[in-house]
Amino acid sequence: MVKLVNDYMAERGCDSPIADPTPRLAAPARFTDEERTAFCGVEGLRLPGRDRESRYERPLVTGGTAAPVRTCDRDVLFGHPRLRLMTVEDPRLAVLYQGLSYDGGRRVTAAGDGEGQVRGRGFLREDMGLFQASCQTGDVTFLIRAANGGRAADIRGLLPRYVALEADRIGCGPLRLSLPKA
């Protein structure tokens, strides 16, 4: 998009291009086959409960290892997922979720944090779990969102492990969450 705007502005005589914040965009979302040990392509992540993987269709996965945002949509119907897992690694995009990390639902913190150390903050609701971590590269947002409150147990079960595995993958770990009592 930035290249398009720069070309348009150059045609109009503007000689000051806008800096492109990302060298390239992530690949388009693709439906992928899933291994039993890698829910949404995250190795070691499993849906809580026994034999529940079958109720979700193949995941629609966006991004790769160098993508600014990685998403995994489950049960996609007419473009709307019933469950979405998302990691926003680019601090310029993660800031868009900063307001959400301070309100809504019950508070989620990083295990071991106290007055002297706060590695992030977030919340847990029936339809969403979010944690925004302070990493070496800047803020990173981890989010699990459901289309409705019917996935509250899935969100509660997935969020701590998802955040831990993704934080380790991007070099932001170890990061272990303390969830509020159920």
Side-chain angles (χ1 to χ4, degrees), residues 145-156:
R145 180 183 58 81
N148 58 46
R151 304 269 194 252
D154 292 342
I155 292 170
R156 183 176 186 80

Side-chain angles (χ1 to χ4, degrees), residues 36-47:
R36 293 182 63 76
T37 61
F39 186 78
C40 278
V42 179
E43 189 64 39
L45 187 63
R46 291 182 42 91
L47 189 63

Side-chain angles (χ1 to χ4, degrees), residues 34 38-42 45-48 56 59-63 69-76 81-88 97 127-129 141-147 151 154-155 157-163 165-166:
E34 188 163 74
F39 186 78
C40 278
V42 179
L45 187 63
R46 291 182 42 91
L47 189 63
Y56 291 105
L60 180 63
V61 179
T62 303
V69 178
R70 292 171 40 117
T71 63
C72 174
D73 293 342
R74 306 304 298 247
D75 277 349
V76 179
R82 290 189 181 158
L83 186 70
R84 168 172 276 183
L85 283 71
M86 183 168 70
T87 302
V88 183
Y97 295 90
D127 65 337
M128 185 185 308
T141 299
F142 306 96
L143 174 113
I144 300 178
R145 180 183 58 81
R151 304 269 194 252
D154 292 342
I155 292 170
L158 285 169
L159 186 65
R161 187 87 176 127
Y162 178 67
V163 170
L165 291 168
E166 282 289 271

Side-chain angles (χ1 to χ4, degrees), residues 61-173:
V61 179
T62 303
T65 56
V69 178
R70 292 171 40 117
T71 63
C72 174
D73 293 342
R74 306 304 298 247
D75 277 349
V76 179
L77 183 62
F78 300 113
H80 298 285
R82 290 189 181 158
L83 186 70
R84 168 172 276 183
L85 283 71
M86 183 168 70
T87 302
V88 183
E89 295 180 44
D90 188 323
R92 296 167 295 187
L93 299 173
V95 73
L96 298 173
Y97 295 90
Q98 189 171 15
L100 282 177
S101 68
Y102 295 105
D103 90 322
R106 294 169 300 181
R107 187 181 176 114
V108 173
T109 58
D113 279 3
E115 290 182 25
Q117 179 182 11
V118 176
R119 291 174 289 166
R121 63 187 64 197
F123 66 87
L124 183 66
R125 296 190 318 223
E126 288 187 4
D127 65 337
M128 185 185 308
L130 179 142
F131 190 79
Q132 191 163 56
S134 299
C135 298
Q136 300 87 337
T137 58
D139 287 344
V140 174
T141 299
F142 306 96
L143 174 113
I144 300 178
R145 180 183 58 81
N148 58 46
R151 304 269 194 252
D154 292 342
I155 292 170
R156 183 176 186 80
L158 285 169
L159 186 65
R161 187 87 176 127
Y162 178 67
V163 170
L165 291 168
E166 282 289 271
D168 287 346
R169 180 187 63 80
I170 61 177
C172 186

